[in-house]
Amino acid sequence: LAATGAYIVLMVVADGVASRRTAAEARAAGVDVQDVMVAPVPANPFAGDVVVATGDAYHLGQFRWLRRPHVEWHGSPLPAGERDETVLATLRLPAVRNFLRWSRYPFVAVQETDDGYLVRFGDARYPGQMRGGLGGITVRVDRH
């Protein structure tokens, strides 16, 4: 029981330190940091997935305790997306409201189709999973 308690305390402290270091490295890179998440990755206690939220985008990366700098950024920031008329039309749907209530770092992408639009909502914690479930929800909107 003592070992489990010590492990939990260590993980809470480590998360706080990793989040502060990530925020400092993001600010040093010129990012206007509003929120930081460092999530554990499977089978590697020395690494974590990073999401740094700004007002209009998410900067994604990998935190590594044993490297300097500690954060390796993945490509360009993920835009949070515009809330235009097409997106606003979907916000009344219960599935969209539920997803956005659950999502910590929501983003939206709109794709035009022959008969309207596909509005895809996702969470930056799962950027490659836009097919439903934890990764997102897609709504078809007709042109009218």
Side-chain angles (χ1 to χ4, degrees):
L1 188 59
T4 300
Y7 175 78
I8 291 169
V9 168
L10 177 65
M11 291 297 99
V12 169
V13 170
D15 179 64
V17 172
S19 294
R20 285 191 298 278
R21 287 185 179 175
T22 298
E25 289 186 22
R27 285 186 186 101
V31 176
D32 178 25
V33 177
Q34 292 187 359
D35 191 31
V36 174
M37 181 198 75
V38 180
V41 296
N44 188 349
F46 301 106
D49 288 328
V50 168
V51 177
V52 174
T54 65
D56 59 357
Y58 304 104
H59 297 257
L60 308 177
Q62 184 86 44
F63 182 89
R64 302 214 186 243
W65 280 104
L66 304 177
R67 288 192 189 162
R68 297 232 190 266
H70 290 293
V71 180
E72 178 183 335
W73 302 105
H74 299 314
S76 300
L78 175 65
E82 297 295 322
R83 298 291 173 111
D84 63 12
E85 289 180 18
T86 306
V87 173
L88 293 176
T90 66
L91 296 180
R92 286 176 262 131
L93 298 171
V96 172
R97 284 197 321 261
N98 290 340
F99 182 81
L100 292 176
R101 188 176 308 121
W102 168 84
S103 178
R104 182 170 175 189
Y105 300 109
F107 66 92
V108 63
V110 178
Q111 176 185 350
E112 191 167 0
T113 64
D114 291 338
D115 59 345
Y117 305 91
L118 288 178
V119 181
R120 294 188 169 124
F121 292 91
D123 189 309
R125 296 175 293 175
Y126 314 101
Q129 302 175 18
M130 291 290 287
R131 292 191 174 96
L134 295 178
I137 186 170
T138 300
V139 177
R140 292 185 183 278
V141 178
D142 69 27
R143 224 170 263 293
H144 307 291

